[in-house]
Amino acid sequence: MTIATVVLFGAVITVGVLLISLTYPVRARADLVAQAGDASRSLASEIGRHRFTGSIPPRKGAFLLQVVTPDGRVVASNSSLAGRPPLTRARPAGGASSVEDRVCRRDGCLVVVGTSSPRSVYGPVVAYAALREPFLLRSSLLPLLLSAGSVVLVALMGWAAWYGVGRVLAPVERIRSDLECIGAEDLSRRVEVPATRDEVARLAATVNDTLARLEDAVKRNARFIAEASHELRTPITGLLVRLEAGLEQRDEADWRAATDDARRLSDIVHDLLLMARLDAGAEGGRERLDLGMLAEEEVARRPGRLPVSMDVEPGVLIRGNRLRLCRLLTNLLSNADRYGESRVWVRVRGEGDQAVVEVCDDGPGIPEKMRERVFERFIRLDRTRSKDSGGSGLGLPIARDIARAHGGTLEVEDGGPLTRLVLRLPRADPK
């Protein structure tokens, strides 16, 4: 930033110095010529009416004035030029009424303008007015001053850029150094948020939010691994025990129990693989589906412990992956069938631009404070663990992930005495 500032402004200032050095002398001399010309014409006009009895008073800002005859005789002048020879030998020629000249002497240079007055009281004369050139016009000091000033200005700009950008980036450097000290072993640390309320402060706040989400994700991942290990260890241990007993006793009941444990182990592994695909954002093919017909097919295909009452509105269309939506409905039905007492109720309806599926059961219910926790992986309510025959705690989390992957939601809502899970998905265009 400092180099860019110095180069850019240095180029601009250099161009400015060149323009001033080239145009100032020309413009300044033109202004002097114009001022001297006004004074000369005023003097010529006045000597056409009367003769000066003494020195010529200053006029139009000019103090050096002379009236000179064609043969070079001074007939009138101001006091500072009394007894002095003519300012210049230049005379109007070729029918011109005025003449310009630049006269340099030891005490400086003069810009002289003469105006012809053929019918003055002195006869044919030329009225001269002269102005001294400023010192800067007749020396090389102006370019030197401008160059020195530009160097100082560019140096000040470079220092200001270095200091200013450094001050701006200092909080960013602190954020970087703080992040460098944060490792995967300890994600509880946060970066310092400056009190400037600017973009850097918002950057630090965003970094802290990201660290908080990362810390939460790491904790959830660690908890998931621990719980998955626990869930897998239970059927594996039971399977090993029964296999060992079966090898010694060859009891048919032990072999059947071992088969159940192996089946449960397989279900858990399949659930974990599906959740990994959902977490990775892998999408299957999508098609137009009638949600009511899909629910009826799943109810008819899946034998349950409890009878199911259906209330289906026809023509509720959605777009989605058939296999995953079937898995979603299966998980909801399995959950209701596992915890219900006497019956399961399924209702499919359209609600504006949404397709709604309600799955209710008359089981023990879900406390309001636990309605979000049931969607966490491997979470099962303590009071239902004894009734859980083979559930892994992944059914509802997988169902919610599938719903979200289809742009929908899955929530536990108030259902009075019933446990009511409500799925909402975007409806497809009927055409």
Side-chain angles (χ1 to χ4, degrees), residues 406-422:
H406 285 77
T409 61
L410 178 61
E411 305 289 342
V412 179
E413 298 186 1
D414 291 331
L418 301 178
T419 302
R420 179 168 170 256
L421 279 83
V422 181

Side-chain angles (χ1 to χ4, degrees), residues 373-387:
R373 288 210 64 198
V374 295
F375 293 105
E376 296 180 13
R377 298 171 183 183
F378 297 111
I379 294 295
R380 285 170 289 180
L381 302 184
D382 290 339
R383 61 176 175 170
T384 60
R385 284 184 184 270
S386 60
K387 295 182 61 177

Side-chain angles (χ1 to χ4, degrees), residues 239-251 254-255:
L239 181 61
L240 290 174
V241 170
R242 290 184 175 91
L243 286 175
E244 291 173 356
L247 289 174
E248 295 177 358
Q249 303 175 4
R250 300 189 179 183
D251 190 341
D254 286 333
W255 284 110

Side-chain angles (χ1 to χ4, degrees), residues 25 94 111 144 159 189 194 273 278 282 324 332 397:
V111 174
L144 291 176
W159 176 82
R189 297 181 58 181
L273 289 174
L278 292 173
R324 291 188 178 177
L332 295 182

Side-chain angles (χ1 to χ4, degrees), residues 327-339:
R327 178 60 183 276
L328 189 160
L329 294 172
T330 298
N331 288 1
L332 295 182
L333 292 170
S334 297
N335 183 78
D337 185 73
R338 182 178 297 119
Y339 299 124

Side-chain angles (χ1 to χ4, degrees), residues 178-238:
D178 289 345
L179 283 174
E180 192 176 33
C181 297
I182 297 175
E185 297 79 10
D186 182 14
L187 291 172
S188 62
R189 297 181 58 181
R190 298 293 181 264
V191 302
E192 176 187 354
V193 179
T196 52
R197 298 183 180 179
D198 57 3
E199 290 83 354
V200 177
R202 291 196 290 273
L203 171 64
T206 303
V207 168
N208 284 338
D209 291 342
T210 303
L211 287 173
R213 292 195 297 271
L214 181 60
E215 181 184 15
D216 180 66
V218 170
K219 288 181 178 178
R220 286 191 289 107
N221 185 57
R223 187 169 61 248
F224 173 77
I225 292 173
E227 291 172 344
S229 301
H230 174 75
E231 293 293 334
L232 290 172
R233 184 172 56 190
T234 301
I236 289 174
T237 301

Side-chain angles (χ1 to χ4, degrees), residues 29-46:
R29 288 194 178 96
D31 291 342
L32 291 175
V33 168
Q35 184 180 354
D38 288 344
S40 174
R41 286 189 294 271
S42 174
L43 178 59
S45 176
E46 188 168 347

